[in-house]
Amino acid sequence: MEVLLIGLLAATLRVATPLILGTLGELFAERAGILNLGIEGTMFCGAFVGFVVGGATGNLWFGVLAAIVSGIFAGLLMGLMSVRLGVSQHVSGLGITLLLTGLSLFGFRLIYGEPRIPPSIQPFTKLSILGQVPILGEILGQYALTYIALALVPVCWWVLYRTNFGLQIRAVGENPEAADAAGVNVFLTRYLALAIAGGLMAAGGAFLSLAQLGAFTYGIIAGRGWVCIALIIFANWQPVRVLWGALLFGGVFALQLRLQTLGLKLPYEAFLALPYLVTIAALAVAGRNATYPAALLKAYKRE
Amino acid sequence: MPAIQMLGITKRFDPVLANDHVDFSLEPGEIHALLGENGAGKTTLMRILYGLYHADEGEILVDGQLAHITSPKEAITLGIGMVAQHFTLVPSLSVAENVVLGYTRGLGFDPLAAQQNVAEAAARFGIKTDPAALVRHLSVGERQRIEILKALYRNARVLIMDEPTSVLVPQEVNVLFETLERLRAAGLSVIFISHKLNEVMAVCDRITVLRQGRVVGTVDKTETSQAELACMMVGRETFGVVRHGEHPQGQVRLRLDHLNALDNKGLPALKQVSLEVQAGEILCIAGVSGNGQAELARVLAGTLKPAEGRILVEDQDLTGSDPSRFLAAGVGRIPEERHEGTIGELSVAENMVLERLDDFTRNGLLDRNLIRRHGEQLIAEYQIKAQPTDRMRTLSGGNIQKVVLARALSGKPRFLVASQPTRGLDVGATEYVRSKLLEQRDQGVAVLLISEDLDEVLALADRIAVIYEGRIVGVIPTQEASLEQLGLMMSGACPQGAARGGNS
């Protein structure tokens, strides 16, 4: 039982990591008034770019960096579509997901052909911060990226609520006309928010290929981007609640993995569906009082 | 030296010339009114000064220096602040955050320090506010003060106020005027955009009148009168619309029989309302806003089902019917909120046929030619400044109301409900709407006019019904009514002992 619980908690943190990164990214986009449905593709692209660069240079951190740069470009592309051109955010976001998924798969074919088993690399090793301390040492023996993701939660809170840039993001996401009239550059603020968002999302993807799996597969993201879209509503656009949402989802995901091994006579898909069912249920409860950023989905144009 | 000089400003929004070589100058320490009807070009001119629009021609001098103002940011740097008609505040942020937004330096943002700074600035200009409060929780008057404070915090020396009183209740107007006078005493200049003559005369030093994008003239308050200003605004002597003669007893077109209705919150809004409106008369519902007028209008449009009682239109029982049956029974409607009565993204011609789509349908398809011709005809008949294909939202308030009026009257109603039909309109449009209502009355239509403007009520009504807390406290013929008596009745005193039934 104790072993099971330790494994569960450790797995929870691991599963939650890409969700924390992705949802914090989406948080920046949506607080600035842009629903970025490019998140699924951006994470996929980040996983791919990180894997390729990490493998080619032999330095996994270069891989993470390259993934972040690719995410920033993805965010800026979203900005071009939704901020500059004022295209529907739904359409441009989904378009970016399709584009980046396709481009990444194309790049994958060029580099690796069609291998029968997915290519793999030596992934990040887990840190052992508390070394041999029983229980805690095992739970907290996580990848560095997990700690970075956890640390980013208060950092994002600080950026949003304790910097002028954060004030401007919150303002353009609620009332861009007001922000503009107050002398805030709405377009620049939204571009920057989307760039940050893209970088965080791509880092979440890179975590999967460079740490958790050490491999790249077609289904590596497996809808995690869409889960982030749901978590942001669950979190009511608050950074700290993003953490709780991601941990909840991660916990249920880790739990179903363990339930599968208990030998219950149920198809394994039923277990796989569990975290998503919990997400829907949590959304139904928490989402009812959701206060959307008022300018979400609205392109801003000066008259 | 003038604080602001605008010389030969021209701005064209095809095909309209919004500003036609406008000259305007503002002295330091004066409150200068920019007076004109809706669509006269006042707001356009000020948006150019604030960098929101760019003039096609002309130049702007600030303190004698030529200035190229291409964005609000540059206007702010030059000491120009603007309080727009629609407030530009972020409701979810605090007062202090709204005030300092866009005017902060460096990386960090300290909420407490911001509140401190804003509190100091507010105290310096004698503006009462709580810097920590969320703007969402503030009243309209308080929000407006935050807008003023925002401009002052940015060291504005010239404050543009775009129709600042249109959103305020009378007490708040007084507070605003006190604030403006305090600013003038501190050496600031204020540009006061308005179409209300009494306010302009009350608070301004000089008045520049615009008409159809051109300056008609600039006058000193001491050397002019409301009548002269009105004449300059509309380009002719105004005359109050006049009712002709007494109405003969006509047949009863509308009968409300002990009507009860609930509001959105499920509370009683109409209590035992019984009324009759006859052909060829205007019956006014007078009362302070929020006493059941909105619900009465909705009941008569068919969008609110009464809880009890009956609605009879020419002996047809319409109680609980759909809006379409009310229309079919000859009920014409001029809704209270004209933006809700029209669809901004549809064209003018399409809006004009919204209530009668069946008449414009051929073989199951809309007959677009017929719709366009119908639109052209009404536009000509009602002198609407628009093309049939223009999007509704591009029209000014007065023209929107004319479209609503044209739509309601083109259906040849036998009974007309008009809710606040002149609210927010300028002198010319108000007069036009009123004369149209009288025209309908003279043609034998039964008109129910819901109005909060007592001057309007006294000018138009044959009979006046006063509503208070959902009850009709009395119905009196207009020739027997006085302002004092109506005021008393509207405040709940019922001189006719009309309090029927129990209190709720």
Side-chain angles (χ1 to χ4, degrees):
Chain A
M1 187 62 210
E2 196 180 286
V3 175
L4 198 68
L5 204 61
I6 290 168
L8 183 70
L9 291 174
T12 298
L13 283 173
R14 194 167 59 244
V15 175
T17 302
L19 299 176
I20 295 172
L21 289 169
T23 313
L24 285 178
E26 190 67 28
L27 179 79
F28 271 99
E30 294 195 13
R31 285 305 286 259
I34 310 286
L35 174 73
N36 189 354
L37 292 179
I39 183 171
E40 181 83 5
T42 307
M43 289 179 84
F44 191 73
C45 178
F48 171 70
V49 171
F51 183 79
V52 171
V53 174
T57 60
N59 186 335
L60 298 179
W61 287 110
F62 282 153
V64 175
L65 212 61
I68 290 173
V69 170
S70 76
I72 289 172
F73 276 109
L76 292 177
L77 180 61
M78 182 68 194
L80 178 70
M81 304 286 285
S82 61
V83 179
R84 177 75 206 283
L85 300 176
V87 182
S88 150
Q89 294 179 12
H90 287 122
V91 173
S92 42
L94 290 175
I96 284 172
T97 283
L98 291 174
L99 173 73
L100 293 181
T101 307
L103 275 181
S104 301
L105 286 175
F106 178 62
F108 182 82
R109 290 269 169 85
L110 285 183
I111 298 171
Y112 300 100
E114 287 190 58
R116 268 185 297 121
I117 49 163
S120 61
I121 52 168
Q122 185 62 41
F124 279 113
T125 48
K126 293 177 182 168
L127 306 178
S128 68
I129 286 183
L130 291 175
Q132 299 309 310
V133 180
I135 305 179
L136 267 186
E138 291 171 66
I139 295 175
L140 295 180
Q142 299 283 352
Y143 301 107
L145 275 172
T146 301
Y147 286 103
I148 291 174
L150 290 173
L152 278 174
V153 173
V155 169
C156 287
W157 177 87
W158 182 81
V159 169
L160 274 178
Y161 294 97
R162 288 294 180 273
T163 67
N164 290 317
F165 176 56
L167 178 62
Q168 292 175 0
I169 289 182
R170 288 184 287 142
V172 301
E174 288 287 340
N175 189 344
E177 290 82 9
D180 194 9
V184 173
N185 188 331
V186 176
F187 304 100
L188 181 66
T189 306
R190 287 187 160 177
Y191 265 113
L192 288 174
L194 282 170
I196 293 172
L200 286 167
M201 293 167 185
F207 172 83
L208 290 169
S209 62
L210 293 178
Q212 191 171 331
L213 295 178
F216 183 82
T217 64
Y218 295 159
I220 190 165
I221 304 300
R224 284 180 176 83
W226 309 136
V227 171
C228 293
I229 300 279
L231 286 178
I232 196 87
I233 300 168
F234 174 80
N236 206 15
W237 293 268
Q238 309 287 328
V240 178
R241 289 184 59 173
V242 165
L243 178 63
W244 306 138
L247 288 177
L248 175 71
F249 184 89
V252 179
F253 194 90
L255 183 67
Q256 64 88 14
L257 283 177
R258 277 144 189 82
L259 289 179
Q260 283 190 43
T261 63
L262 292 182
L264 292 176
K265 292 255 179 270
L266 277 174
Y268 75 96
E269 287 91 346
F271 296 105
L272 272 180
L274 192 62
Y276 300 93
L277 290 175
V278 171
T279 307
I280 292 172
L283 259 188
V285 175
R288 290 208 302 206
N289 298 322
T291 47
Y292 288 76
L296 193 63
L297 295 177
K298 288 178 195 141
Y300 178 63
K301 275 194 200 113
R302 274 198 184 158
E303 285 164 56
Chain B
M1 183 181 14
I4 300 283
Q5 269 179 295
M6 300 180 80
L7 302 171
I9 300 291
T10 298
K11 177 72 182 174
R12 176 182 288 280
F13 295 110
D14 278 321
V16 185
L17 202 53
N19 284 155
D20 185 3
H21 296 90
V22 171
D23 294 329
F24 176 79
S25 113
L26 179 73
E27 296 296 328
E30 75 163 340
I31 301 181
H32 193 139
L34 209 48
L35 184 70
E37 297 189 280
N38 289 334
K42 313 175 295 265
T43 303
T44 303
L45 184 67
M46 287 302 113
R47 288 186 143 233
I48 289 170
L49 179 57
Y50 195 56
L52 287 166
Y53 291 157
H54 310 307
D56 299 332
E57 287 173 45
E59 50 194 34
I60 301 172
L61 284 82
V62 178
D63 295 328
Q65 301 285 319
L66 194 61
H68 290 283
I69 307 174
T70 56
S71 75
K73 202 161 191 152
E74 287 169 69
I76 291 165
T77 319
L78 289 167
I80 301 168
M82 179 154 174
V83 177
Q85 215 170 344
H86 302 286
F87 297 152
T88 50
L89 294 171
V90 185
S92 63
L93 299 185
S94 72
V95 168
E97 286 174 327
N98 266 287
V99 172
V100 304
L101 177 66
Y103 200 65
T104 49
R105 269 179 217 93
L107 176 69
F109 168 71
D110 181 349
L112 289 177
Q115 286 170 23
Q116 185 88 39
N117 290 342
V118 170
E120 280 166 17
R124 196 160 63 240
F125 294 103
I127 294 173
K128 283 200 196 91
T129 184
D130 170 14
L134 290 184
V135 165
R136 182 191 298 145
H137 299 144
L138 300 186
S139 73
V140 173
E142 287 170 311
R143 289 183 193 205
Q144 190 175 59
R145 288 202 283 284
I146 306 310
E147 286 280 20
I148 296 174
L149 184 57
K150 221 165 91 179
L152 298 178
Y153 189 80
R154 287 158 170 69
N155 299 314
R157 288 166 300 111
V158 172
L159 192 62
I160 306 166
M161 305 278 306
D162 191 356
E163 307 217 357
T165 60
S166 60
V167 292
L168 301 180
V169 299
Q171 295 86 330
E172 288 177 330
V173 170
N174 292 336
V175 177
L176 171 69
F177 285 0
E178 284 166 23
T179 307
L180 294 185
E181 272 157 17
R182 205 172 296 132
L183 297 182
R184 171 171 57 190
L188 274 75
S189 317
V190 178
I191 303 172
F192 187 94
I193 304 179
S194 182
H195 59 245
K196 292 181 188 158
L197 300 169
N198 53 343
E199 289 174 357
V200 163
M201 290 299 281
V203 75
C204 295
D205 303 308
R206 283 197 303 160
I207 298 137
T208 293
V209 182
L210 285 181
R211 186 170 75 230
Q212 291 177 347
R214 291 201 193 93
V215 174
V216 182
T218 300
V219 288
D220 259 46
K221 176 175 73 175
T222 48
E223 291 163 10
T224 187
S225 65
Q226 285 200 30
E228 188 194 4
L229 289 175
C231 174
M232 288 167 78
M233 259 170 88
V234 299
R236 59 189 147 80
E237 293 289 345
T238 50
F239 50 95
V241 284
V242 196
R243 262 178 326 127
H244 302 290
E246 289 317 310
H247 74 104
Q249 286 282 330
Q251 74 187 109
V252 174
R253 286 272 169 86
L254 169 85
R255 202 160 80 225
L256 300 180
D257 195 6
H258 294 91
L259 206 62
N260 286 335
L262 305 178
D263 64 13
N264 293 335
K265 296 177 194 119
L267 300 172
L270 295 178
K271 300 165 192 164
Q272 299 291 324
V273 170
S274 295
L275 281 176
E276 283 182 355
V277 188
Q278 297 162 3
E281 76 160 345
I282 295 181
L283 175 69
C284 271
I285 305 286
V288 179
S289 124
N291 273 293
Q293 294 99 319
E295 286 78 10
L296 180 61
R298 287 179 55 206
V299 163
L300 290 175
T303 55
L304 177 67
K305 309 256 181 279
E308 278 174 58
R310 292 204 303 158
I311 307 168
L312 294 164
V313 174
E314 296 196 306
D315 298 329
Q316 250 194 85
D317 192 338
L318 291 179
T319 317
S321 294
D322 293 333
S324 56
R325 276 204 58 205
F326 276 81
L327 284 170
V331 178
R333 300 171 303 196
I334 299 172
E336 175 167 352
E337 185 52 63
R338 48 184 164 269
H339 296 285
E340 283 174 17
T342 54
I343 299 177
E345 291 304 313
L346 293 186
S347 71
V348 170
E350 286 165 334
N351 269 288
M352 282 171 164
V353 299
L354 272 185
E355 292 186 339
R356 298 195 293 138
L357 285 178
D358 285 348
D359 299 347
F360 294 88
T361 305
R362 190 161 300 165
N363 304 326
L365 294 173
L366 286 177
D367 186 339
R368 308 205 64 85
N369 281 329
L370 191 59
I371 291 174
R372 205 195 59 243
R373 279 203 304 278
H374 175 77
E376 280 167 355
Q377 190 192 331
L378 289 185
I379 283 171
E381 191 178 332
Y382 288 84
Q383 301 152 28
I384 300 166
K385 282 179 204 147
Q387 299 296 316
T389 50
D390 284 349
R391 300 257 162 259
M392 200 65 195
R393 62 178 159 76
T394 60
L395 270 60
S396 71
N399 281 315
I400 292 177
Q401 191 67 321
K402 280 184 177 178
V403 171
V404 171
L405 195 68
R407 180 175 70 195
L409 301 187
S410 69
K412 305 251 180 303
R414 300 170 62 71
F415 166 57
L416 184 66
V417 193
S419 290
Q420 320 280 7
T422 61
R423 183 154 73 183
L425 298 187
D426 59 52
V427 179
T430 298
E431 200 173 288
Y432 184 83
V433 170
R434 288 178 182 170
S435 68
K436 278 287 174 188
L437 292 177
L438 284 175
E439 191 182 294
Q440 290 295 307
R441 162 197 180 262
D442 294 341
Q443 288 170 8
V445 175
V447 181
L448 183 82
L449 171 65
I450 300 174
S451 178
E452 288 157 20
D453 181 343
L454 277 185
D455 292 333
E456 176 166 283
V457 169
L458 288 168
L460 298 184
D462 294 297
R463 292 187 299 143
I464 302 168
V466 178
I467 193 166
Y468 176 72
E469 293 197 339
R471 258 175 236 290
I472 301 294
V473 292
V475 183
I476 47 177
T478 305
Q479 60 266 39
E480 293 170 23
S482 67
L483 269 175
E484 292 73 27
Q485 189 195 3
L486 287 174
L488 269 176
M489 290 167 77
M490 283 164 59
S491 59
C494 20
Q496 303 198 330
R500 292 175 293 255
N503 267 331
S504 60

